[in-house]
Structure formats: structure tokens, C-alpha cells
Amino acid sequence: MDHTFHSGTLRQVLETLETDQETGLRPEEGARRLAEHGENRLEEAKETGYLRRVLGQLKDPMILVLLAAAALSFFAGGGRDWLDAVIILLIVVFNTVISVSQEDNARKALEALRKLSAPKARVIRDGVERRLESAQLVPGDIILLEAGDYVPADGRILWEAGLQADESAMTGESLPVHKRGGSGLPQDTPLAERKNMVIGGTVITGGRGRVVVTATGMDTEMGKIAGLLLRQAQGETPLQRKMGEVSKVLSLVCVGVCAVMFGVGMLQHRDILDMFLTAVALAVAAIPEGLPAIVTIVLAMGVGRMARQNAIIKRLPAVETLGCASVICSDKTGTLTKNQMTVLEVWTPVPGRQSQALTLGTLCGDAKEGPGGYVGDPTETAIAQKAREEGLEKARLERDMPRRGEAPFDSVRKRMATCHALPAGGCLIAVKGAPEAVLARCTQVLGHDGPRTMTEGDRRRILGVGGDLAAKALRVLAVAQRKQGGVPPSFESRELERDLTFVGLIGMMDPPRPEVRGAVDRCAAAGIRPVMITGDHKDTAVAIARDLNLFRPGDKAIDGAGLDFLPQKTLEEEVETFSVYARVTPEHKLRIVQAWQKKGHVVAMTGDGVNDAPALKAADIGCAMGKTGTDVAKGAADMILTDDNFATVVAAVEQGRGIYANIRKAIHYLLSCNIGEILTIFLATVLPFPHAPLSPVQLLWLNLVTDSLPALALGMEPVEKEVMDQPPRGKQEPLFSKAFSLRLAWQGVMVGGLTLLAYGLGLRLTHDYAVANTMAFATLTLSQLFHAFDVRSEETSLFHLGIFSNPAMNKAFLAGIALQGLVLLAPPLQGAFSVVPMALNQWGIVLGLALTPLVVCEVEKAIRHARRKKPEHVQEETPAYR
């Protein structure tokens, strides 16, 4: 779009566009320009093909190792171990299908942008008004707009009568903007203040006008946002990065241990084919095949819980991202506030005359009765609603005092006047507008005994009260009246707006949502920094932020003009000092989000407007409002809040933290079990045992069935109460902390040692490798099922949690016992899994060894708890040192 269209004169604009404001373009010229400029549509991002998306899922290192293990299993055994390969491939396919289907609806933003364009437009072509599809508009077309119309393209206003536009979706301005034609504006005028232009995709809320189209398609202001969305890449979530680390570590461990084993086998002059099969078994043991699917399913279950709490997640890994959010950048209008103007104060020079002021404000307005209340200009609907609360119905007032004429509001006079017939005869002139503009036309002020002459002291007092109300971030209107015996000779403004009597001031604002302050305080307690980013004025934004406790002592505010002069490097250095960013553009929002991210923060962005979409997409997680949010914002966001409640963000953060903790528990369980399996196979090779304690099919059964059910149940653990009393995790915080890794290691060594002990006892008692293998297999399986119970909490004892408090774990345990019982006891399955029946004493040894991890881990928790409790007890006995 040519940025000079708002600054030139109307004649210059029309000459540049080579059009006529009365007759418009000729049809053939319109067709030529359509071919030159293209249709008035937004470009689409090239959609990734299904095959490419599937291949993208297969690039995961863990998946690649699984595919290699499947190939090795099949080809190394000459096709004999085809069952292993098939099971692995089924897991890969299952994970891929879930991931691709969840991301099918992720690219909706550009489609929603197109829907915002008006499907039809009233156009003057060759001097004749006609209706064209908005896609057929070209620069130079003359279009007609009226209340209720979507603006189909950017344009310069040629003529208007009370034209107002709701531009909140594009600029963040919560109030309708009064438009005007006429002279140009300075070239550097911000988008939100270009009163002589209309913006494509916004809505006309009042009046009517004639506009010349200056830009269409991707050249419009909305097209710029679409371009930002096209250029903005989708980054990895913290969980995806951490799972990538897990995959790489496991891959290196697998390759390293396999190499060592192969070398040892060669030194021992073992058969090369047998060593390949052993390497397959070790690969199966080292890689938790079910982990990708389990993580996906745990996330999906979390999505279901969050949907019941009014948060809809579009991308599964984004659930966990909320858990480590350290900054929430929130739009003001419609997110922190109600997006509904409300009268908060009515002041009159004489106490008790508020009803008179509300009567004048209601009469001098065009609010209409709608299905859910008054509709129209937000300030006028707010006054009418307040009057209704005071028992003054607009319909009854207009019936008793019907309107005879009016002088519409314009941005130069900053006033509106209406003339009404009085029941007893004569007329009432009602005027409302900006306080200084109304006062300039007042000669009297309402007193106790009726109107009296206004003094300079009265004017200073009224302006002082208006200033106090404005300091509270209230939008202030003044109302005045004049009564006369007959209908005025004309309804010109100079006739109606003279010799007025000042009646009062009405203060209103878009109030904060009542639940937001509590949510902001909870964010602060959880170590999360809430920040306001808005297109509204700085003073208004700061007042709202201070009321919500979002703007605290020492915090700073900055507006768009300040950001323009602030280099990005300086912004990155100082971004943490600002709590409020006002009068910002979409480009500013992107800069702010990226500056916080440069500081190492995980950024959540909430918003509802078209102008929020690029920042929603750039943020680590974008949260769009479901009720008031535009389709564009919903399309660009990762999460949609169906109740438009900022407090839902906090609940979602809590769920995100809980889901991460549950995924960590599942990883803890799976890897500690797999360490035991690795140790068993590795030591059996190195020692060496004549026969491997476990076969590849047994290991796959353990990883995919016995391991997976308890891991899924761990993903359904309730969120722990203390989760929101901790600071957020850092973006670079490793999944494997030192304490976590040590816990994994010693528990895995314990499980592996118990398995080898069972194998050794079986050989000593029976001298039968089949019985020893069966005892090892049964011990490893059952010990893992019991171990799942102590993994439910890293700190809290199972007996304090309640042994049966997680129904999913109870079902997983019983299912695991039943499935393992079938394998060990059913003759057809015994052959498939290479196991034999065990004697009663052998079952006793297996059960005793299997219960050991649960007992040892619970004792270790009790010891750690006692060590932590002792210093606290000492501290309580010595309060003087507090």
C-alpha cells in the first residue's frame, strides 16, 4: 500500500488513482486493473502435502532408531524375527497417524482473514451503483459504506456523514473511531490515528460514507498481517526439544553399548549372526518403543481435561509449553477488560440530578434495543443501559419526548445535539460531547433552584472534576440542555448548540474483568510475569494495569512512538522493565514477544484481534479468546479460551505443569525399567552367559505392553497441589537433572540386578535355561508393575497418596497382571514367548524379588523426607533466628 494516500489532498489521491469520485471507473478499466493487481484476496501459504507431513514425523531420531531396529530385526535374522519388526512398525505408524491428524487444522489463520472480507461491496462503476464481489475490487474503485458493513479494502474517505468504524481488531482501540474526509494528515501519522482512511476488514458502526479504494489484497493493512503470518516460522516447543535430547541420548547409548557388545562377542569368537540378534535385543531394550506414543496419548488426555476447563488446544506439544511459561503478554481490550463500555460515575453540580443527566445522554444518542440489550455506539449503549438501571427506559423517554431533529456528531465540533418535543409544549435541546467542547457553548449551569449564570469558577470546577475522572482512565462526556417555546428555525449545529445550561458529566470505561486481578496475582505467585500489550492510549492502559496490580511500583510503560525510536537490541536489554506497551502496531507486538524470548523466557501471548495474530503465532504459545476473538486470532493461536476468561490461562498453566510432571513420571518409569533391561542383556553377554536371559520378543512385550499401560496411568495422575507455588522451569532446563538421572540409574540397576538374580537362582535350582529365562522374564515384568506405584510421586509416599487413589493405575496393574499371566500360563502363548511352567517355590522367589523395588523406593523416600524435616524442626524451635 502507498503510505502517502492519507497525507495527500483528495484531488491528489484521485489523480494518482486516475478515477472520478462521482462516476468511478469504467467497467473495462476495472477489468484491466483486476488483471494488473489481481483479485482482492489474501495469499495462502503453500499447504504442506500429506506425504511431506508424514515424512516430517519420521525425522524424529527415536523413530529413526526404531525403524533401524525393525530393519535389523527382520534382515539380520533372515526373516525369522519378522514379528519384532512388525510390532515396531505398528508403533511407528500409530504415533505418526496421531501426530498428523492433530496438526491437520493448524493452518487456519489465512482462511479466517479471507472470511473477514465483505463478500459483496456497493461500487460506483460508470456512474451506476452496483454490487460486486469484494474480490473484484481494484484500486480506484468508488465504494459506498454504511453502518453494519465490513470494509472490503483500504480506502481514503471522500465524503462522510457521522461515519464511525470499529477498528479494535486491527489497532486495539476499544472505542469506535470517528472518521472524516477532507484534508490530508502528516505522512508519519500512525495507523490508529488515520481518521481520513478506512481499513479493510474492519466494521462500520455508524453513519455512512463514500470511499475511494487505495489498496487491495496483500497491499492492504490486513495483507501486511497475512504476510507476517506467512513469514513467521513455527518454533519447537520445550517438550519437543527435550524429547529430541532424550532421543539423541538414547540413540548414542544404544549405538555405544551395541558396539561394545559386538566387540566383546568378536573377542569371544561368537557367531556373527547371533551377535546381530543380540544387538537387536539390546536395541529393543535401550529404546522405549512406546515412549513417543505414550507422550502423545498423555498430552491428548491433558487436552481433554483442559477442554473441560474451557481451554481448547490445537497442537499437542503446546500443552506442556504452558507449564514453563514465564511471561504472559496480554492484549487489554476484550482480554483483560470486558470490551463493553460501562458508566461508572455520573456527576452533577447539584447533587441528586444524575437522572436528569442520564435522560439527556440517552435522548441525545442513537442506541437501539437489540436481542441482548442495547446495540450501537458503545458509549451511547453504556449511557442507555445505565439509564435503564435507574428506571429510565429509552423507548419510554423517546415516546414522551420524540425527536424532531438533530445535528450529528462530528470530530471537529466534538458534540452532538438533538431536538425533542416536550409533553407540555415547547422543545428540549439535548447536547452531549467532550467536556471542553460542550462548556464552550454553555452560558448557564444547573443550580438548586434552576439554571443560573455560569462563572469562571464554575468552569474551573467542572473541568477539574472532568480531569479527575479522566485520570481514572474514564472516558468523560458532558451533557447540557436548553428549553425553548417552539421548534427552532433550523437544526443546524449553530442554532441548536447555543445558550446551553450545563447539567453534568458522565464517566465510563471498558472495565477490567472481575476475575482478572486474582489471575494476575496467581501468575505472580507462580513466578509468571503478566504484561499488557495494547493499541489503546498509554494513560488508559496504565490505569487499567495499575487497577489489576499488573503495573507495580518501579514498572515502566512505553508507547509505539517510543518503541519506534528504541533499537531492537536496546529493547531486548530493557524489556523486563516494561509492564505496559501502548499504541502498538502488529510489528511492535512481534518485536516485544521476540525481545522477551531473546531474554530466555517462554512467552505466552493472549489476544482476540486480527492485530494479535502475528504475535500469537510468534509466541511460544498463543492463546486466543473464543467468544470475542476473531477467526484470525483463533487460527494463529495454539490454544483457544472458550470462556474468554484470563483466569483460564492460569488454570491452563497449572494443567501444563501437571502434564509435564506426569510425562516426566512416565519417562522415569520407562527409562528406569529399560536401564534394567539393558543391564540384564549387557552383563549376560559380557560375563558371558551361554544363553541370553531375555529374548527380543520378550523385551518387546515388556516395552510395548507391560511397560506402556502403567506409563499411561502415570499420565493420568492428578495435578499436585504445590505445582503453582514453584517458579516456572527454564527453557533450557534439562529434562535429566542430576538428581533425576541418579534416581533413574540406581533404580534401573536394582531392577536389572534382581532380574539377573532370578536368572541365576533359576539356573542353580533347576539347571534348566528355559526355567531360568522364564523366572527372569516374570521377575522383570512383575517388578516393573510394582515399581509403577512408587513412581507416582518423587517425594510423597505411596501410602500418603493412597494406594488406590489413581483408578487408572489400578486398572493398568490388573491388566498387566492378567496379560502376563496369560503369557506365562497359557500353553499357546508359552511357545510364542519361549517360556515354560514354573513350580510354586519358583513363583515365590519371583514374587519376593518383584516386590523389592517398591519396598526399597518407599524406604528411600521416607529417609529423604526425614532428612528434610529435621532442619525444619530445628528452625521451629529457634524462632529468634528467623
Side-chain angles (χ1 to χ4, degrees), residues 113-372:
L113 278 167
R114 288 196 302 275
K115 290 178 184 177
L116 277 182
S117 299
K120 295 285 186 180
R122 295 166 59 204
V123 187
I124 304 295
R125 286 274 179 96
D126 206 14
V128 178
E129 179 183 331
R130 58 190 73 189
R131 297 187 72 84
L132 292 180
E133 290 186 8
S134 61
Q136 304 300 308
L137 291 181
V138 295
D141 263 328
I142 306 300
I143 58 175
L144 304 177
L145 298 172
E146 62 183 13
D149 287 345
Y150 278 104
V151 180
D154 290 355
R156 175 72 180 267
I157 298 169
L158 301 172
W159 169 87
E160 57 82 27
L163 190 67
Q164 299 178 46
D166 178 0
E167 297 180 347
S168 61
M170 286 295 292
T171 67
E173 174 62 60
S174 58
L175 295 171
V177 179
H178 293 276
K179 296 295 184 177
R180 62 177 176 81
S183 60
L185 299 169
Q187 192 163 339
D188 60 354
T189 303
L191 178 65
E193 296 176 12
R194 295 177 189 173
K195 310 294 186 185
N196 60 358
M197 300 285 292
V198 291
I199 307 172
T202 59
V203 183
I204 301 300
T205 59
R208 58 189 189 279
R210 180 182 288 241
V211 172
V212 58
V213 174
T214 57
T216 58
M218 294 299 290
D219 293 328
T220 63
E221 295 296 331
M222 186 177 285
K224 294 178 189 176
I225 295 177
L228 291 172
L229 289 173
L230 284 170
R231 292 194 299 271
Q232 187 61 46
Q234 184 69 56
E236 282 188 327
T237 69
L239 180 62
Q240 287 173 323
R241 286 191 289 270
K242 289 181 174 64
M243 292 307 299
E245 294 169 10
V246 171
S247 299
K248 290 174 184 176
V249 169
L250 292 176
S251 303
L252 291 173
V253 168
C254 179
V255 171
V257 175
C258 283
V260 171
M261 273 190 55
F262 196 78
V264 170
M266 295 299 291
L267 290 174
Q268 295 174 349
H269 304 290
R270 293 195 177 192
D271 183 75
I272 293 178
L273 181 58
D274 287 341
M275 289 310 303
F276 266 120
L277 294 176
T278 304
V280 171
L282 187 62
V284 170
I287 303 297
E289 288 86 350
L291 184 56
I294 286 170
V295 169
T296 301
I297 292 169
V298 169
L299 287 171
M301 290 189 294
V303 166
R305 287 199 301 272
M306 295 175 78
R308 290 190 290 273
Q309 297 182 6
N310 301 311
I312 297 174
I313 301 296
K314 291 174 55 186
R315 295 177 60 245
L316 287 184
V319 178
E320 180 272 339
T321 313
L322 274 170
C324 47
S326 54
V327 176
I328 299 178
C329 296
S330 176
D331 186 44
K332 177 184 75 68
T333 305
T335 306
L336 297 173
T337 65
K338 294 181 178 180
N339 199 17
Q340 177 183 338
M341 293 297 290
T342 304
V343 173
L344 299 182
E345 295 197 34
V346 180
W347 178 85
T348 55
V350 178
R353 298 294 184 92
Q354 285 82 2
S355 293
Q356 187 173 349
L358 290 171
T359 297
L360 292 171
T362 302
L363 289 171
C364 189
D366 296 320
K368 305 293 183 184
E369 185 69 51

Side-chain angles (χ1 to χ4, degrees), residues 15 57 105 225 241 255 448 604 616 640 668 687-688 705 880:
E15 287 177 353
Q57 294 294 327
N105 298 322
I225 295 177
R241 286 191 289 270
V255 171
H448 288 283
L616 285 171
I640 299 170
H668 176 182
L687 286 179
V705 180

Side-chain angles (χ1 to χ4, degrees), residues 2 39 82 106-107 138 191 226 228 253 284 365 389 456 475 503 596 606 622 688 699 708 718 765 773 785 841 847-848:
D2 188 337
E39 288 193 336
W82 63 270
R107 299 182 63 86
V138 295
L191 178 65
L228 291 172
V253 168
V284 170
E389 293 170 6
E456 283 303 313
R475 174 177 169 81
V503 176
W596 280 103
T606 72
L699 288 169
S708 299
L765 292 173
N773 173 273
L785 289 173
N841 66 324
L847 290 174

